Amino acid sequence: MPSPYPDGDREKVASKLPPALQQELKVRCAELSLDIQDAVEAAVTNWRARPTPGPEIETAGSKSFSTWLPTGLYDDFKATCGERGVSYIQGLAQSIRAWLEDNPSPADANRSAEPRRIVTANQKGGVGKTSVSLGIAQSYAEHDEDGAAALRRFIESLSFGDLKRVEKTKAGLLKQLEKLTVGGQRVLVVDYDPQSHLSDQLGIPQIPPGQESLVTHMVGDPDGDLHDLIVTLDDPRFHRRLDVLPGAYDGFLLDSKLALTAAQSRGFQKEVALERALRPAEGDYDVIVIDCPPSLGLAMDAGLYYARRRRNEKKGRSGVVIPVQAEDSSATAYSMLVNQVEDLCKDLSLEIDYLGLVVNQYDSRRGFVATSSLAQWNSLGDQQVLAVLDDLKEQREAVRLKQPLLAYAPESKQANTMRMIAMGVVSE
């Protein structure tokens, strides 16, 4: 309820906010030497300017909150709440939360950076999401000098039949290699697919039905610490820097579990479930790679949300890698995934970066369909092809032996192409 400000240009507004949000606002304003009324004015103005409301905030137990806003702003705010179908308390809570995210604490500058998050996704199965996920994860985790030396030898061996083009390509790639370091990082690769191909390829047992898993943490029903589920690969090439969160059979029920939890728990946002589950472990890693299932459901929404560009994060640091094949069904599945990404961005006001395409299991001997499809992938204006992975034996052999590719065949073309994908280098 507004009342006049002594000078006439503002009015007092009485509403409610969750106590924790009130305290966070008070502390942040003190840190930034701002008046609370100015912060709330900016928060409400920015929230009204957004095309859609933000994620729902839990407002149960809200306490009285009052401040001074420019005359008429609160009436405009209430009108916006009515248009968006949210209560005044919910609208104010969303406004304050968004403002806090846009105005981080100065103390955050002294904290370690959030991990890079790479989500490997495609609606179509069998395109190589798991092999690409594992290859990227291994490339980040292996000893940086080992990976750089192998990649340098690989680049030097490139041959395209045109000497001038070869030398120009080599020079460019070697120059990029001098500036980029990939290995030596702490990596978590998450087997997010209930089929658990990633876990199986490494000889890690799938989590049986009904046991503690990523699923129980996502739906807010954990019995223990997420760290207890993580398995470290004990291969000397990775110096215990590569961890795996195994797949769980209960993942087949994840979509329905998320929908049920959202229906039963006020304030539960389905899209945030994966991020909320992994948050306790994020501080342990430099890179987190998510191997997504071939799905367009709620689980995929949560995976794509996890790939979004966070506040103050550099464009292209995190995002989605899309493995495809040089055939028509991959193009259809790609279009469906892109539509899902764009809808999610629009509905929740997100920015999700496409890191690029990986054309997998390519074999030019398959003729016109393969070569013309590859040409189409290369011609996409809004996507770059990070790499073309040939259909070679080393990956299949590594899977059969349940070994990481970069440990089984570290000098192979496939291993070096994985390193180039991780570096963000566009390979030939």
Side-chain angles (χ1 to χ4, degrees), residues 403-423:
Q403 293 184 21
L405 172 66
L406 272 66
Y408 171 71
E411 300 286 337
S412 67
K413 181 179 181 180
Q414 287 168 318
N416 281 298
T417 304
M418 293 296 184
R419 294 182 180 107
M420 295 175 78
I421 295 171
M423 292 172 65

Side-chain angles (χ1 to χ4, degrees), residues 357-376:
L357 304 172
V358 178
V359 182
N360 195 29
Q361 298 174 344
Y362 180 73
D363 187 347
S364 61
R365 294 173 301 179
R366 292 171 182 159
F368 173 73
V369 171
T371 56
S372 61
S373 294
L374 179 58
Q376 289 177 342

Side-chain angles (χ1 to χ4, degrees), residues 335-361:
S335 298
M336 296 171 70
L337 176 64
V338 169
N339 287 337
Q340 183 174 12
V341 172
E342 299 307 317
D343 287 344
L344 193 67
C345 289
K346 180 180 179 181
D347 292 343
L348 298 180
S349 299
L350 308 177
E351 291 180 294
I352 299 175
D353 295 325
Y354 297 107
L355 303 182
L357 304 172
V358 178
V359 182
N360 195 29
Q361 298 174 344

Side-chain angles (χ1 to χ4, degrees), residues 257-268:
K257 286 178 177 287
L258 288 172
L260 180 61
T261 304
Q264 294 177 340
S265 303
R266 181 181 177 185
F268 179 86

